[in-house]
C-alpha cells in the first residue's frame, strides 16, 4: 500500500472544507533531504513516511497570519521542523528521566494543541498519540493510511469548515474542531 491515495483523500477533504492548500502546502522533500534527516536522527524512515514527505514537506503559515494552519485537526510541520522537534522531545525525555517514554524509532510528524503530538514509529509505520502531561501514550492507528482515513471521514461527518481568521477547523456551531483520532477519545484541554 502507498500513502498517496489516503493523502489525496485528506487533501481533497481539507480543500472542500475551505483550507487554502495552494497557499499553505509545501512542495515535497527531496530524497537527499530525507536522507540527511535520517542520518541526523540515526533512524531509517518507514516507507510510508518517506512517501508522505515526498508528497508534501509540511505546511507553512498563511501570509499575514500568526498561527500555523491545521490540516483537519492537527498541524503538519516541515521535515526540518519535525526533526528539530523530535530531537527536542528525545532530549526532554532523557532530561526528565522518562527516556523509556520516547522510542528512538519515533518521529514527531503532527501535533494537536502544542503539547499533544502524533508520532510515526519508523520501525513499523504505526501512529502514536503522545501527551506526557497526562501520561497518555498509545497507538492510534496501525499506519498513516488508517490515520488519514479516520480524519477525512470525521471531517465529512462533523461537517467542519476552515476558519481562516483563526487558522483552524471549526464545527457548524463555531467550536474549534479536533480530529477524533485519539483512543479513547476525550477532550484534553
Amino acid at each position: 500500500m502507498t500513502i498517496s491515495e489516503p493523502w489525496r483523500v485528506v487533501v481533497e477533504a481539507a480543500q472542500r472544507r475551505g483550507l487554502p492548500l495552494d497557499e499553505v502546502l509545501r512542495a515535497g522533500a527531496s530524497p537527499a533531504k530525507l536522507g540527511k534527516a535520517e542520518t541526523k536522527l540515526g533512524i531509517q524512515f518507514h516507507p510510508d513516511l518517506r512517501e508522505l514527505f515526498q508528497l508534501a514537506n509540511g505546511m507553512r503559515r498563511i501570509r499575514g497570519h500568526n498561527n500555523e494552519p491545521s490540516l483537519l485537526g492537527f498541524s503538519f510541520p516541515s521535515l526540518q521542523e519535525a526533526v528539530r522537534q523530535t530531537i527536542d522531545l528525545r532530549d526532554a525525555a532523557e532530561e526528565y528521566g522518562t527516556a523509556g517514554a520516547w522510542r528512538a524509532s519515533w518521529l514527531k510528524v503532527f501535533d494537536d494543541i502544542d503539547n499533544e503530538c502524533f508520532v510515526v514509529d519508523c520501525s513499523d509505520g504505526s501512529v502514536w498519540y503522545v501527551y506526557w502531561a497526562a501520561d497518555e501514550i498509545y497507538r492510534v492507528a496501525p499506519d498513516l493510511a488508517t490515520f488519514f482515513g479516520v480524519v477525512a471521514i470525521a471531517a465529512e461527518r462533523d461537517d467542519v469548515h476552515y476558519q481562516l481568521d483563526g487558522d483552524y477547523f471549526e464545527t457548524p456551531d463555531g467550536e474549534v474542531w479536533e480530529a477524533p483520532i485519539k483512543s479513547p477519545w476525550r477532550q484534553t484541554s
Side-chain angles (χ1 to χ4, degrees), residues 102-136:
W102 186 266
R103 298 180 185 170
S105 60
W106 281 356
L107 176 70
K108 179 183 180 265
V109 182
F110 311 109
D111 62 48
D112 177 31
I113 314 176
D114 299 325
N115 299 335
E116 301 175 63
C117 59
F118 296 97
V119 299
V120 173
D121 188 329
C122 292
S123 68
D124 64 6
S126 59
V127 181
W128 290 72
Y129 171 74
V130 179
Y131 184 39
W132 284 339
D135 284 333
E136 294 181 18

mmCIF file of all heavy atoms in Angstrom, residues 102-136:
data_model
loop_
_atom_site.group_PDB
_atom_site.id
_atom_site.type_symbol
_atom_site.label_atom_id
_atom_site.label_comp_id
_atom_site.label_asym_id
_atom_site.label_seq_id
_atom_site.Cartn_x
_atom_site.Cartn_y
_atom_site.Cartn_z
ATOM 1 N N TRP A 102 9.898 7.648 25.353
ATOM 2 C CA TRP A 102 10.147 8.089 23.975
ATOM 3 C C TRP A 102 10.983 7.036 23.287
ATOM 4 O O TRP A 102 12.071 6.701 23.740
ATOM 5 C CB TRP A 102 10.873 9.441 23.940
ATOM 6 C CG TRP A 102 10.983 9.928 22.540
ATOM 7 C CD1 TRP A 102 12.034 9.742 21.678
ATOM 8 C CD2 TRP A 102 9.993 10.622 21.792
ATOM 9 N NE1 TRP A 102 11.747 10.274 20.453
ATOM 10 C CE2 TRP A 102 10.494 10.826 20.493
ATOM 11 C CE3 TRP A 102 8.716 11.084 22.095
ATOM 12 C CZ2 TRP A 102 9.778 11.490 19.507
ATOM 13 C CZ3 TRP A 102 8.003 11.737 21.110
ATOM 14 C CH2 TRP A 102 8.531 11.946 19.839
ATOM 15 N N ARG A 103 10.490 6.501 22.202
ATOM 16 C CA ARG A 103 11.205 5.461 21.474
ATOM 17 C C ARG A 103 12.143 6.085 20.444
ATOM 18 O O ARG A 103 11.771 7.037 19.754
ATOM 19 C CB ARG A 103 10.221 4.533 20.787
ATOM 20 C CG ARG A 103 9.339 3.819 21.778
ATOM 21 C CD ARG A 103 8.366 2.911 21.095
ATOM 22 N NE ARG A 103 7.478 2.344 22.116
ATOM 23 C CZ ARG A 103 6.398 1.666 21.831
ATOM 24 N NH1 ARG A 103 6.048 1.453 20.587
ATOM 25 N NH2 ARG A 103 5.656 1.188 22.805
ATOM 26 N N ALA A 104 13.310 5.520 20.319
ATOM 27 C CA ALA A 104 14.304 6.036 19.367
ATOM 28 C C ALA A 104 13.806 5.962 17.928
ATOM 29 O O ALA A 104 14.253 6.724 17.078
ATOM 30 C CB ALA A 104 15.610 5.258 19.514
ATOM 31 N N SER A 105 12.858 5.092 17.652
ATOM 32 C CA SER A 105 12.346 4.920 16.290
ATOM 33 C C SER A 105 11.204 5.873 15.948
ATOM 34 O O SER A 105 10.665 5.827 14.843
ATOM 35 C CB SER A 105 11.882 3.476 16.084
ATOM 36 O OG SER A 105 10.854 3.150 17.006
ATOM 37 N N TRP A 106 10.836 6.751 16.867
ATOM 38 C CA TRP A 106 9.722 7.674 16.635
ATOM 39 C C TRP A 106 10.178 8.958 15.958
ATOM 40 O O TRP A 106 11.250 9.483 16.247
ATOM 41 C CB TRP A 106 9.069 8.053 17.954
ATOM 42 C CG TRP A 106 8.138 7.019 18.505
ATOM 43 C CD1 TRP A 106 7.763 5.838 17.946
ATOM 44 C CD2 TRP A 106 7.457 7.090 19.755
ATOM 45 N NE1 TRP A 106 6.895 5.176 18.768
ATOM 46 C CE2 TRP A 106 6.689 5.919 19.885
ATOM 47 C CE3 TRP A 106 7.426 8.034 20.774
ATOM 48 C CZ2 TRP A 106 5.896 5.659 20.984
ATOM 49 C CZ3 TRP A 106 6.634 7.777 21.877
ATOM 50 C CH2 TRP A 106 5.874 6.608 21.981
ATOM 51 N N LEU A 107 9.303 9.488 15.092
ATOM 52 C CA LEU A 107 9.463 10.820 14.511
ATOM 53 C C LEU A 107 8.169 11.573 14.769
ATOM 54 O O LEU A 107 7.080 11.094 14.420
ATOM 55 C CB LEU A 107 9.730 10.755 13.001
ATOM 56 C CG LEU A 107 9.814 12.121 12.303
ATOM 57 C CD1 LEU A 107 11.084 12.860 12.719
ATOM 58 C CD2 LEU A 107 9.767 11.973 10.796
ATOM 59 N N LYS A 108 8.272 12.738 15.395
ATOM 60 C CA LYS A 108 7.091 13.572 15.623
ATOM 61 C C LYS A 108 6.700 14.184 14.283
ATOM 62 O O LYS A 108 7.434 14.961 13.699
ATOM 63 C CB LYS A 108 7.386 14.682 16.624
ATOM 64 C CG LYS A 108 6.184 15.569 16.856
ATOM 65 C CD LYS A 108 6.524 16.712 17.795
ATOM 66 C CE LYS A 108 5.338 17.584 18.021
ATOM 67 N NZ LYS A 108 5.302 18.733 17.145
ATOM 68 N N VAL A 109 5.539 13.808 13.793
ATOM 69 C CA VAL A 109 5.103 14.261 12.475
ATOM 70 C C VAL A 109 3.993 15.297 12.574
ATOM 71 O O VAL A 109 3.988 16.276 11.839
ATOM 72 C CB VAL A 109 4.646 13.064 11.611
ATOM 73 C CG1 VAL A 109 4.228 13.520 10.221
ATOM 74 C CG2 VAL A 109 5.762 12.026 11.509
ATOM 75 N N PHE A 110 3.051 15.101 13.478
ATOM 76 C CA PHE A 110 1.913 16.006 13.614
ATOM 77 C C PHE A 110 1.776 16.404 15.076
ATOM 78 O O PHE A 110 2.292 15.729 15.955
ATOM 79 C CB PHE A 110 0.606 15.318 13.187
ATOM 80 C CG PHE A 110 0.686 14.629 11.865
ATOM 81 C CD1 PHE A 110 0.690 13.248 11.799
ATOM 82 C CD2 PHE A 110 0.761 15.349 10.694
ATOM 83 C CE1 PHE A 110 0.755 12.591 10.579
ATOM 84 C CE2 PHE A 110 0.833 14.709 9.468
ATOM 85 C CZ PHE A 110 0.829 13.326 9.409
ATOM 86 N N ASP A 111 1.055 17.494 15.333
ATOM 87 C CA ASP A 111 0.698 17.774 16.718
ATOM 88 C C ASP A 111 -0.681 18.390 16.794
ATOM 89 O O ASP A 111 -1.257 18.806 15.801
ATOM 90 C CB ASP A 111 1.746 18.613 17.457
ATOM 91 C CG ASP A 111 1.965 19.983 16.879
ATOM 92 O OD1 ASP A 111 0.985 20.691 16.608
ATOM 93 O OD2 ASP A 111 3.126 20.363 16.705
ATOM 94 N N ASP A 112 -1.196 18.372 18.004
ATOM 95 C CA ASP A 112 -2.545 18.833 18.283
ATOM 96 C C ASP A 112 -2.462 19.618 19.584
ATOM 97 O O ASP A 112 -2.168 19.047 20.628
ATOM 98 C CB ASP A 112 -3.460 17.613 18.431
ATOM 99 C CG ASP A 112 -4.883 17.979 18.796
ATOM 100 O OD1 ASP A 112 -5.332 19.056 18.394
ATOM 101 O OD2 ASP A 112 -5.532 17.185 19.485
ATOM 102 N N ILE A 113 -2.635 20.907 19.518
ATOM 103 C CA ILE A 113 -2.551 21.779 20.691
ATOM 104 C C ILE A 113 -1.173 21.689 21.340
ATOM 105 O O ILE A 113 -1.029 21.347 22.504
ATOM 106 C CB ILE A 113 -3.657 21.480 21.731
ATOM 107 C CG1 ILE A 113 -5.010 21.336 21.047
ATOM 108 C CG2 ILE A 113 -3.735 22.602 22.749
ATOM 109 C CD1 ILE A 113 -6.119 20.941 21.991
ATOM 110 N N ASP A 114 -0.159 21.946 20.588
ATOM 111 C CA ASP A 114 1.232 22.063 21.049
ATOM 112 C C ASP A 114 1.795 20.869 21.806
ATOM 113 O O ASP A 114 2.688 20.204 21.324
ATOM 114 C CB ASP A 114 1.441 23.337 21.878
ATOM 115 C CG ASP A 114 1.137 24.578 21.077
ATOM 116 O OD1 ASP A 114 1.414 24.582 19.874
ATOM 117 O OD2 ASP A 114 0.610 25.531 21.655
ATOM 118 N N ASN A 115 1.337 20.597 23.015
ATOM 119 C CA ASN A 115 1.937 19.552 23.846
ATOM 120 C C ASN A 115 1.530 18.144 23.450
ATOM 121 O O ASN A 115 2.182 17.188 23.821
ATOM 122 C CB ASN A 115 1.568 19.763 25.322
ATOM 123 C CG ASN A 115 2.066 21.086 25.828
ATOM 124 O OD1 ASN A 115 3.016 21.643 25.309
ATOM 125 N ND2 ASN A 115 1.416 21.604 26.846
ATOM 126 N N GLU A 116 0.448 18.020 22.743
ATOM 127 C CA GLU A 116 -0.030 16.719 22.306
ATOM 128 C C GLU A 116 0.527 16.468 20.904
ATOM 129 O O GLU A 116 0.444 17.322 20.043
ATOM 130 C CB GLU A 116 -1.549 16.699 22.250
ATOM 131 C CG GLU A 116 -2.209 17.010 23.576
ATOM 132 C CD GLU A 116 -3.714 17.098 23.431
ATOM 133 O OE1 GLU A 116 -4.326 16.080 23.080
ATOM 134 O OE2 GLU A 116 -4.254 18.182 23.670
ATOM 135 N N CYS A 117 1.102 15.304 20.704
ATOM 136 C CA CYS A 117 1.651 15.066 19.375
ATOM 137 C C CYS A 117 1.326 13.676 18.861
ATOM 138 O O CYS A 117 0.974 12.777 19.629
ATOM 139 C CB CYS A 117 3.146 15.325 19.341
ATOM 140 S SG CYS A 117 4.140 14.351 20.449
ATOM 141 N N PHE A 118 1.441 13.544 17.566
ATOM 142 C CA PHE A 118 1.273 12.268 16.884
ATOM 143 C C PHE A 118 2.612 11.937 16.253
ATOM 144 O O PHE A 118 3.181 12.749 15.518
ATOM 145 C CB PHE A 118 0.176 12.352 15.824
ATOM 146 C CG PHE A 118 -1.179 12.628 16.409
ATOM 147 C CD1 PHE A 118 -1.690 13.910 16.444
ATOM 148 C CD2 PHE A 118 -1.936 11.603 16.952
ATOM 149 C CE1 PHE A 118 -2.925 14.176 17.001
ATOM 150 C CE2 PHE A 118 -3.178 11.857 17.519
ATOM 151 C CZ PHE A 118 -3.678 13.148 17.537
ATOM 152 N N VAL A 119 3.114 10.754 16.576
ATOM 153 C CA VAL A 119 4.411 10.331 16.067
ATOM 154 C C VAL A 119 4.233 9.086 15.210
ATOM 155 O O VAL A 119 3.283 8.327 15.395
ATOM 156 C CB VAL A 119 5.400 10.044 17.226
ATOM 157 C CG1 VAL A 119 5.639 11.287 18.056
ATOM 158 C CG2 VAL A 119 4.920 8.907 18.100
ATOM 159 N N VAL A 120 5.151 8.920 14.272
ATOM 160 C CA VAL A 120 5.168 7.708 13.468
ATOM 161 C C VAL A 120 6.344 6.862 13.947
ATOM 162 O O VAL A 120 7.465 7.367 14.061
ATOM 163 C CB VAL A 120 5.300 8.022 11.963
ATOM 164 C CG1 VAL A 120 5.487 6.744 11.159
ATOM 165 C CG2 VAL A 120 4.069 8.783 11.469
ATOM 166 N N ASP A 121 6.060 5.611 14.258
ATOM 167 C CA ASP A 121 7.116 4.674 14.632
ATOM 168 C C ASP A 121 7.725 4.162 13.337
ATOM 169 O O ASP A 121 7.074 3.439 12.576
ATOM 170 C CB ASP A 121 6.539 3.527 15.466
ATOM 171 C CG ASP A 121 7.618 2.645 16.047
ATOM 172 O OD1 ASP A 121 8.695 2.507 15.420
ATOM 173 O OD2 ASP A 121 7.394 2.076 17.131
ATOM 174 N N CYS A 122 8.949 4.569 13.081
ATOM 175 C CA CYS A 122 9.604 4.237 11.816
ATOM 176 C C CYS A 122 9.915 2.750 11.692
ATOM 177 O O CYS A 122 10.198 2.270 10.594
ATOM 178 C CB CYS A 122 10.865 5.073 11.640
ATOM 179 S SG CYS A 122 10.482 6.814 11.396
ATOM 180 N N SER A 123 9.842 2.001 12.792
ATOM 181 C CA SER A 123 10.107 0.565 12.717
ATOM 182 C C SER A 123 8.953 -0.202 12.076
ATOM 183 O O SER A 123 9.174 -1.219 11.426
ATOM 184 C CB SER A 123 10.401 -0.002 14.109
ATOM 185 O OG SER A 123 9.239 0.030 14.926
ATOM 186 N N ASP A 124 7.712 0.299 12.247
ATOM 187 C CA ASP A 124 6.576 -0.437 11.686
ATOM 188 C C ASP A 124 5.522 0.456 11.013
ATOM 189 O O ASP A 124 4.541 -0.045 10.478
ATOM 190 C CB ASP A 124 5.912 -1.299 12.756
ATOM 191 C CG ASP A 124 5.292 -0.490 13.894
ATOM 192 O OD1 ASP A 124 5.265 0.756 13.829
ATOM 193 O OD2 ASP A 124 4.821 -1.131 14.862
ATOM 194 N N GLY A 125 5.686 1.782 11.057
ATOM 195 C CA GLY A 125 4.749 2.697 10.410
ATOM 196 C C GLY A 125 3.524 3.049 11.227
ATOM 197 O O GLY A 125 2.661 3.790 10.757
ATOM 198 N N SER A 126 3.411 2.539 12.448
ATOM 199 C CA SER A 126 2.238 2.840 13.276
ATOM 200 C C SER A 126 2.272 4.294 13.750
ATOM 201 O O SER A 126 3.326 4.910 13.822
ATOM 202 C CB SER A 126 2.163 1.885 14.476
ATOM 203 O OG SER A 126 3.317 1.987 15.273
ATOM 204 N N VAL A 127 1.094 4.823 14.048
ATOM 205 C CA VAL A 127 0.956 6.202 14.505
ATOM 206 C C VAL A 127 0.555 6.173 15.974
ATOM 207 O O VAL A 127 -0.372 5.450 16.369
ATOM 208 C CB VAL A 127 -0.103 6.974 13.682
ATOM 209 C CG1 VAL A 127 -0.208 8.422 14.157
ATOM 210 C CG2 VAL A 127 0.236 6.925 12.192
ATOM 211 N N TRP A 128 1.269 6.966 16.792
ATOM 212 C CA TRP A 128 1.059 7.009 18.235
ATOM 213 C C TRP A 128 0.663 8.406 18.671
ATOM 214 O O TRP A 128 1.115 9.397 18.088
ATOM 215 C CB TRP A 128 2.346 6.616 18.960
ATOM 216 C CG TRP A 128 2.689 5.178 18.814
ATOM 217 C CD1 TRP A 128 3.155 4.547 17.685
ATOM 218 C CD2 TRP A 128 2.577 4.181 19.805
ATOM 219 N NE1 TRP A 128 3.336 3.223 17.929
ATOM 220 C CE2 TRP A 128 2.993 2.970 19.234
ATOM 221 C CE3 TRP A 128 2.170 4.193 21.139
ATOM 222 C CZ2 TRP A 128 3.010 1.776 19.947
ATOM 223 C CZ3 TRP A 128 2.196 3.004 21.845
ATOM 224 C CH2 TRP A 128 2.607 1.817 21.243
ATOM 225 N N TYR A 129 -0.160 8.460 19.702
ATOM 226 C CA TYR A 129 -0.537 9.716 20.352
ATOM 227 C C TYR A 129 0.296 9.830 21.620
ATOM 228 O O TYR A 129 0.374 8.875 22.406
ATOM 229 C CB TYR A 129 -2.028 9.691 20.694
ATOM 230 C CG TYR A 129 -2.482 10.829 21.558
ATOM 231 C CD1 TYR A 129 -2.617 12.107 21.044
ATOM 232 C CD2 TYR A 129 -2.791 10.621 22.897
ATOM 233 C CE1 TYR A 129 -3.042 13.157 21.853
ATOM 234 C CE2 TYR A 129 -3.227 11.660 23.707
ATOM 235 C CZ TYR A 129 -3.344 12.923 23.170
ATOM 236 O OH TYR A 129 -3.766 13.952 23.968
ATOM 237 N N VAL A 130 0.947 10.977 21.819
ATOM 238 C CA VAL A 130 1.801 11.185 22.985
ATOM 239 C C VAL A 130 1.428 12.507 23.644
ATOM 240 O O VAL A 130 1.488 13.565 23.017
ATOM 241 C CB VAL A 130 3.302 11.207 22.591
ATOM 242 C CG1 VAL A 130 4.175 11.447 23.812
ATOM 243 C CG2 VAL A 130 3.701 9.928 21.884
ATOM 244 N N TYR A 131 1.024 12.424 24.912
ATOM 245 C CA TYR A 131 0.721 13.609 25.705
ATOM 246 C C TYR A 131 1.255 13.339 27.100
ATOM 247 O O TYR A 131 0.581 12.791 27.965
ATOM 248 C CB TYR A 131 -0.783 13.864 25.714
ATOM 249 C CG TYR A 131 -1.212 15.131 26.423
ATOM 250 C CD1 TYR A 131 -0.476 16.309 26.313
ATOM 251 C CD2 TYR A 131 -2.375 15.149 27.189
ATOM 252 C CE1 TYR A 131 -0.892 17.474 26.954
ATOM 253 C CE2 TYR A 131 -2.787 16.315 27.824
ATOM 254 C CZ TYR A 131 -2.045 17.470 27.706
ATOM 255 O OH TYR A 131 -2.446 18.613 28.342
ATOM 256 N N TRP A 132 2.511 13.691 27.309
ATOM 257 C CA TRP A 132 3.194 13.377 28.553
ATOM 258 C C TRP A 132 2.536 14.001 29.771
ATOM 259 O O TRP A 132 2.512 13.415 30.836
ATOM 260 C CB TRP A 132 4.657 13.806 28.496
ATOM 261 C CG TRP A 132 5.501 12.901 27.679
ATOM 262 C CD1 TRP A 132 5.235 11.610 27.350
ATOM 263 C CD2 TRP A 132 6.746 13.205 27.084
ATOM 264 N NE1 TRP A 132 6.251 11.099 26.587
ATOM 265 C CE2 TRP A 132 7.186 12.058 26.400
ATOM 266 C CE3 TRP A 132 7.545 14.341 27.050
ATOM 267 C CZ2 TRP A 132 8.389 12.016 25.711
ATOM 268 C CZ3 TRP A 132 8.736 14.289 26.355
ATOM 269 C CH2 TRP A 132 9.151 13.143 25.694
ATOM 270 N N ALA A 133 2.006 15.208 29.635
ATOM 271 C CA ALA A 133 1.428 15.897 30.793
ATOM 272 C C ALA A 133 0.298 15.095 31.424
ATOM 273 O O ALA A 133 0.025 15.213 32.608
ATOM 274 C CB ALA A 133 0.936 17.283 30.386
ATOM 275 N N ALA A 134 -0.371 14.283 30.631
ATOM 276 C CA ALA A 134 -1.471 13.463 31.146
ATOM 277 C C ALA A 134 -1.106 11.974 31.171
ATOM 278 O O ALA A 134 -1.977 11.129 31.338
ATOM 279 C CB ALA A 134 -2.711 13.671 30.282
ATOM 280 N N ASP A 135 0.178 11.669 30.983
ATOM 281 C CA ASP A 135 0.636 10.271 30.940
ATOM 282 C C ASP A 135 -0.132 9.446 29.921
ATOM 283 O O ASP A 135 -0.546 8.314 30.194
ATOM 284 C CB ASP A 135 0.529 9.608 32.320
ATOM 285 C CG ASP A 135 1.637 10.053 33.249
ATOM 286 O OD1 ASP A 135 2.715 10.424 32.744
ATOM 287 O OD2 ASP A 135 1.422 10.036 34.467
ATOM 288 N N GLU A 136 -0.338 10.029 28.747
ATOM 289 C CA GLU A 136 -1.075 9.327 27.696
ATOM 290 C C GLU A 136 -0.134 9.032 26.534
ATOM 291 O O GLU A 136 0.357 9.944 25.874
ATOM 292 C CB GLU A 136 -2.250 10.166 27.209
ATOM 293 C CG GLU A 136 -3.315 10.384 28.258
ATOM 294 C CD GLU A 136 -4.491 11.196 27.743
ATOM 295 O OE1 GLU A 136 -4.658 11.314 26.519
ATOM 296 O OE2 GLU A 136 -5.234 11.720 28.580
#
